[in-house]
PDB file of all heavy atoms in Angstrom:
ATOM      1  N   LEU R   1       0.810  -1.217   0.000  1.00 83.00           N
ATOM      2  CA  LEU R   1       0.000   0.000   0.000  1.00 83.00           C
ATOM      3  C   LEU R   1       0.843   1.267   0.000  1.00 83.00           C
ATOM      4  O   LEU R   1       0.626   2.177  -0.798  1.00 83.00           O
ATOM      5  CB  LEU R   1      -0.918   0.009   1.223  1.00 83.00           C
ATOM      6  CG  LEU R   1      -2.199  -0.813   1.147  1.00 83.00           C
ATOM      7  CD1 LEU R   1      -2.896  -0.819   2.499  1.00 83.00           C
ATOM      8  CD2 LEU R   1      -3.123  -0.243   0.080  1.00 83.00           C
ATOM      9  N   PHE R   2       1.813   1.335   0.932  1.00 79.00           N
ATOM     10  CA  PHE R   2       2.478   2.596   1.202  1.00 79.00           C
ATOM     11  C   PHE R   2       3.925   2.642   0.714  1.00 79.00           C
ATOM     12  O   PHE R   2       4.571   3.693   0.780  1.00 79.00           O
ATOM     13  CB  PHE R   2       2.454   2.888   2.710  1.00 79.00           C
ATOM     14  CG  PHE R   2       1.063   2.838   3.286  1.00 79.00           C
ATOM     15  CD1 PHE R   2       0.688   1.821   4.145  1.00 79.00           C
ATOM     16  CD2 PHE R   2       0.128   3.791   2.950  1.00 79.00           C
ATOM     17  CE1 PHE R   2      -0.584   1.764   4.672  1.00 79.00           C
ATOM     18  CE2 PHE R   2      -1.148   3.754   3.468  1.00 79.00           C
ATOM     19  CZ  PHE R   2      -1.516   2.736   4.324  1.00 79.00           C
ATOM     20  N   GLY R   3       4.445   1.495   0.266  1.00 72.00           N
ATOM     21  CA  GLY R   3       5.823   1.479  -0.197  1.00 72.00           C
ATOM     22  C   GLY R   3       6.793   1.247   0.939  1.00 72.00           C
ATOM     23  O   GLY R   3       6.467   1.355   2.112  1.00 72.00           O
ATOM     24  N   GLY R   4       8.034   0.899   0.588  1.00 58.00           N
ATOM     25  CA  GLY R   4       9.056   0.648   1.602  1.00 58.00           C
ATOM     26  C   GLY R   4       8.744  -0.603   2.386  1.00 58.00           C
ATOM     27  O   GLY R   4       7.848  -1.369   2.086  1.00 58.00           O
ATOM     28  N   GLY R   5       9.480  -0.864   3.420  1.00 48.00           N
ATOM     29  CA  GLY R   5       9.245  -2.040   4.247  1.00 48.00           C
ATOM     30  C   GLY R   5       8.887  -1.686   5.653  1.00 48.00           C
ATOM     31  O   GLY R   5       8.909  -2.532   6.529  1.00 48.00           O
ATOM     32  N   GLY R   6       8.616  -0.358   5.857  1.00 44.00           N
ATOM     33  CA  GLY R   6       8.433   0.151   7.203  1.00 44.00           C
ATOM     34  C   GLY R   6       7.334  -0.522   7.961  1.00 44.00           C
ATOM     35  O   GLY R   6       7.551  -1.375   8.787  1.00 44.00           O
ATOM     36  N   GLY R   7       6.127  -0.151   7.762  1.00 40.00           N
ATOM     37  CA  GLY R   7       5.017  -0.782   8.439  1.00 40.00           C
ATOM     38  C   GLY R   7       4.929  -0.403   9.887  1.00 40.00           C
ATOM     39  O   GLY R   7       5.892   0.013  10.526  1.00 40.00           O
ATOM     40  N   ALA R   8       3.745  -0.622  10.445  1.00 38.00           N
ATOM     41  CA  ALA R   8       3.490  -0.207  11.825  1.00 38.00           C
ATOM     42  C   ALA R   8       4.288  -1.016  12.814  1.00 38.00           C
ATOM     43  O   ALA R   8       4.638  -0.538  13.869  1.00 38.00           O
ATOM     44  CB  ALA R   8       1.990  -0.334  12.117  1.00 38.00           C
ATOM     45  N   ARG R   9       4.612  -2.271  12.496  1.00 39.00           N
ATOM     46  CA  ARG R   9       5.280  -3.103  13.481  1.00 39.00           C
ATOM     47  C   ARG R   9       6.701  -2.624  13.760  1.00 39.00           C
ATOM     48  O   ARG R   9       7.273  -2.952  14.776  1.00 39.00           O
ATOM     49  CB  ARG R   9       5.312  -4.553  12.998  1.00 39.00           C
ATOM     50  CG  ARG R   9       3.935  -5.189  12.965  1.00 39.00           C
ATOM     51  CD  ARG R   9       4.018  -6.635  12.554  1.00 39.00           C
ATOM     52  NE  ARG R   9       2.702  -7.216  12.464  1.00 39.00           N
ATOM     53  CZ  ARG R   9       2.459  -8.458  12.068  1.00 39.00           C
ATOM     54  NH1 ARG R   9       3.456  -9.244  11.714  1.00 39.00           N
ATOM     55  NH2 ARG R   9       1.235  -8.924  12.009  1.00 39.00           N
ATOM     56  N   GLU R  10       7.280  -1.892  12.808  1.00 38.00           N
ATOM     57  CA  GLU R  10       8.628  -1.413  12.987  1.00 38.00           C
ATOM     58  C   GLU R  10       8.651  -0.038  13.651  1.00 38.00           C
ATOM     59  O   GLU R  10       9.699   0.573  13.782  1.00 38.00           O
ATOM     60  CB  GLU R  10       9.346  -1.368  11.638  1.00 38.00           C
ATOM     61  CG  GLU R  10       9.492  -2.757  11.039  1.00 38.00           C
ATOM     62  CD  GLU R  10      10.215  -2.729   9.713  1.00 38.00           C
ATOM     63  OE1 GLU R  10      10.857  -1.709   9.414  1.00 38.00           O
ATOM     64  OE2 GLU R  10      10.151  -3.717   8.985  1.00 38.00           O
ATOM     65  N   GLY R  11       7.497   0.472  14.052  1.00 37.00           N
ATOM     66  CA  GLY R  11       7.435   1.676  14.847  1.00 37.00           C
ATOM     67  C   GLY R  11       7.469   2.962  14.062  1.00 37.00           C
ATOM     68  O   GLY R  11       7.672   4.029  14.646  1.00 37.00           O
ATOM     69  N   ARG R  12       7.350   2.912  12.756  1.00 37.00           N
ATOM     70  CA  ARG R  12       7.374   4.142  11.987  1.00 37.00           C
ATOM     71  C   ARG R  12       5.969   4.723  11.934  1.00 37.00           C
ATOM     72  O   ARG R  12       5.065   4.143  11.362  1.00 37.00           O
ATOM     73  CB  ARG R  12       7.870   3.878  10.567  1.00 37.00           C
ATOM     74  CG  ARG R  12       9.307   3.357  10.553  1.00 37.00           C
ATOM     75  CD  ARG R  12       9.808   3.186   9.146  1.00 37.00           C
ATOM     76  NE  ARG R  12      11.155   2.626   9.163  1.00 37.00           N
ATOM     77  CZ  ARG R  12      11.818   2.306   8.058  1.00 37.00           C
ATOM     78  NH1 ARG R  12      11.265   2.483   6.884  1.00 37.00           N
ATOM     79  NH2 ARG R  12      13.036   1.803   8.140  1.00 37.00           N
ATOM     80  N   ALA R  13       5.810   5.892  12.496  1.00 33.00           N
ATOM     81  CA  ALA R  13       4.488   6.512  12.562  1.00 33.00           C
ATOM     82  C   ALA R  13       4.119   7.167  11.245  1.00 33.00           C
ATOM     83  O   ALA R  13       2.958   7.427  10.983  1.00 33.00           O
ATOM     84  CB  ALA R  13       4.470   7.552  13.685  1.00 33.00           C
ATOM     85  N   GLU R  14       5.128   7.438  10.418  1.00 36.00           N
ATOM     86  CA  GLU R  14       4.868   8.173   9.190  1.00 36.00           C
ATOM     87  C   GLU R  14       4.625   7.194   8.043  1.00 36.00           C
ATOM     88  O   GLU R  14       5.358   6.233   7.850  1.00 36.00           O
ATOM     89  CB  GLU R  14       6.082   9.057   8.875  1.00 36.00           C
ATOM     90  CG  GLU R  14       5.884   9.942   7.662  1.00 36.00           C
ATOM     91  CD  GLU R  14       7.094  10.843   7.475  1.00 36.00           C
ATOM     92  OE1 GLU R  14       8.099  10.624   8.169  1.00 36.00           O
ATOM     93  OE2 GLU R  14       7.033  11.741   6.648  1.00 36.00           O
ATOM     94  N   SER R  15       3.579   7.411   7.263  1.00 38.00           N
ATOM     95  CA  SER R  15       3.317   6.588   6.088  1.00 38.00           C
ATOM     96  C   SER R  15       4.337   6.919   5.018  1.00 38.00           C
ATOM     97  O   SER R  15       4.541   8.075   4.668  1.00 38.00           O
ATOM     98  CB  SER R  15       1.908   6.868   5.560  1.00 38.00           C
ATOM     99  OG  SER R  15       0.955   6.540   6.527  1.00 38.00           O
ATOM    100  N   ARG R  16       4.987   5.894   4.536  1.00 37.00           N
ATOM    101  CA  ARG R  16       6.011   6.115   3.517  1.00 37.00           C
ATOM    102  C   ARG R  16       5.455   5.737   2.146  1.00 37.00           C
ATOM    103  O   ARG R  16       4.895   4.658   1.975  1.00 37.00           O
ATOM    104  CB  ARG R  16       7.251   5.276   3.808  1.00 37.00           C
ATOM    105  CG  ARG R  16       8.333   5.426   2.751  1.00 37.00           C
ATOM    106  CD  ARG R  16       9.499   4.521   3.039  1.00 37.00           C
ATOM    107  NE  ARG R  16      10.490   4.637   1.981  1.00 37.00           N
ATOM    108  CZ  ARG R  16      11.544   3.856   1.870  1.00 37.00           C
ATOM    109  NH1 ARG R  16      11.748   2.905   2.755  1.00 37.00           N
ATOM    110  NH2 ARG R  16      12.405   4.014   0.889  1.00 37.00           N
ATOM    111  N   ILE R  17       5.627   6.617   1.173  1.00 40.00           N
ATOM    112  CA  ILE R  17       5.197   6.346  -0.197  1.00 40.00           C
ATOM    113  C   ILE R  17       6.405   6.477  -1.103  1.00 40.00           C
ATOM    114  O   ILE R  17       7.080   7.501  -1.105  1.00 40.00           O
ATOM    115  CB  ILE R  17       4.105   7.330  -0.632  1.00 40.00           C
ATOM    116  CG1 ILE R  17       2.872   7.184   0.259  1.00 40.00           C
ATOM    117  CG2 ILE R  17       3.715   7.117  -2.075  1.00 40.00           C
ATOM    118  CD1 ILE R  17       1.738   8.088  -0.129  1.00 40.00           C
ATOM    119  N   ASP R  18       6.679   5.438  -1.854  1.00 43.00           N
ATOM    120  CA  ASP R  18       7.726   5.553  -2.850  1.00 43.00           C
ATOM    121  C   ASP R  18       7.148   5.132  -4.194  1.00 43.00           C
ATOM    122  O   ASP R  18       5.961   4.891  -4.325  1.00 43.00           O
ATOM    123  CB  ASP R  18       8.958   4.714  -2.479  1.00 43.00           C
ATOM    124  CG  ASP R  18       8.646   3.227  -2.333  1.00 43.00           C
ATOM    125  OD1 ASP R  18       7.609   2.791  -2.882  1.00 43.00           O
ATOM    126  OD2 ASP R  18       9.424   2.521  -1.670  1.00 43.00           O
ATOM    127  N   ASP R  19       7.986   5.064  -5.205  1.00 46.00           N
ATOM    128  CA  ASP R  19       7.478   4.793  -6.545  1.00 46.00           C
ATOM    129  C   ASP R  19       6.869   3.409  -6.675  1.00 46.00           C
ATOM    130  O   ASP R  19       6.172   3.131  -7.630  1.00 46.00           O
ATOM    131  CB  ASP R  19       8.618   4.955  -7.567  1.00 46.00           C
ATOM    132  CG  ASP R  19       9.013   6.417  -7.720  1.00 46.00           C
ATOM    133  OD1 ASP R  19       8.185   7.274  -7.359  1.00 46.00           O
ATOM    134  OD2 ASP R  19      10.144   6.674  -8.184  1.00 46.00           O
ATOM    135  N   GLY R  20       7.162   2.500  -5.723  1.00 57.00           N
ATOM    136  CA  GLY R  20       6.619   1.161  -5.821  1.00 57.00           C
ATOM    137  C   GLY R  20       5.315   0.971  -5.092  1.00 57.00           C
ATOM    138  O   GLY R  20       4.759  -0.114  -5.114  1.00 57.00           O
ATOM    139  N   SER R  21       4.790   1.989  -4.394  1.00 81.00           N
ATOM    140  CA  SER R  21       3.572   1.810  -3.612  1.00 81.00           C
ATOM    141  C   SER R  21       2.338   1.881  -4.487  1.00 81.00           C
ATOM    142  O   SER R  21       2.324   2.540  -5.534  1.00 81.00           O
ATOM    143  CB  SER R  21       3.496   2.880  -2.523  1.00 81.00           C
ATOM    144  OG  SER R  21       3.195   4.137  -3.095  1.00 81.00           O
ATOM    145  N   ALA R  22       1.285   1.193  -4.038  1.00 86.00           N
ATOM    146  CA  ALA R  22       0.026   1.213  -4.779  1.00 86.00           C
ATOM    147  C   ALA R  22      -0.548   2.614  -4.840  1.00 86.00           C
ATOM    148  O   ALA R  22      -1.121   3.021  -5.851  1.00 86.00           O
ATOM    149  CB  ALA R  22      -0.958   0.253  -4.130  1.00 86.00           C
ATOM    150  N   VAL R  23      -0.402   3.377  -3.753  1.00 84.00           N
ATOM    151  CA  VAL R  23      -0.934   4.734  -3.735  1.00 84.00           C
ATOM    152  C   VAL R  23      -0.249   5.587  -4.798  1.00 84.00           C
ATOM    153  O   VAL R  23      -0.900   6.356  -5.510  1.00 84.00           O
ATOM    154  CB  VAL R  23      -0.755   5.361  -2.333  1.00 84.00           C
ATOM    155  CG1 VAL R  23      -1.225   6.802  -2.322  1.00 84.00           C
ATOM    156  CG2 VAL R  23      -1.527   4.552  -1.295  1.00 84.00           C
ATOM    157  N   ALA R  24       1.066   5.436  -4.935  1.00 84.00           N
ATOM    158  CA  ALA R  24       1.789   6.199  -5.948  1.00 84.00           C
ATOM    159  C   ALA R  24       1.446   5.716  -7.354  1.00 84.00           C
ATOM    160  O   ALA R  24       1.263   6.523  -8.277  1.00 84.00           O
ATOM    161  CB  ALA R  24       3.289   6.102  -5.697  1.00 84.00           C
ATOM    162  N   LEU R  25       1.352   4.420  -7.516  1.00 86.00           N
ATOM    163  CA  LEU R  25       1.045   3.872  -8.841  1.00 86.00           C
ATOM    164  C   LEU R  25      -0.333   4.284  -9.327  1.00 86.00           C
ATOM    165  O   LEU R  25      -0.588   4.365 -10.529  1.00 86.00           O
ATOM    166  CB  LEU R  25       1.147   2.347  -8.814  1.00 86.00           C
ATOM    167  CG  LEU R  25       2.548   1.767  -8.628  1.00 86.00           C
ATOM    168  CD1 LEU R  25       2.470   0.253  -8.445  1.00 86.00           C
ATOM    169  CD2 LEU R  25       3.436   2.109  -9.817  1.00 86.00           C
TER     170      LEU R  25
END
């Protein structure tokens, strides 16, 4: 969905979007 490998389990509060995310595509 958001790109990257971050995810909530890794404690990143910020949604990350990169060129590979569904939202960006």
Side-chain angles (χ1 to χ4, degrees):
L1 280 173
F2 306 111
R9 292 183 183 177
E10 296 181 16
R12 297 184 183 176
E14 184 176 10
S15 299
R16 178 183 177 188
I17 298 182
D18 59 20
D19 290 340
S21 73
V23 177
L25 292 173

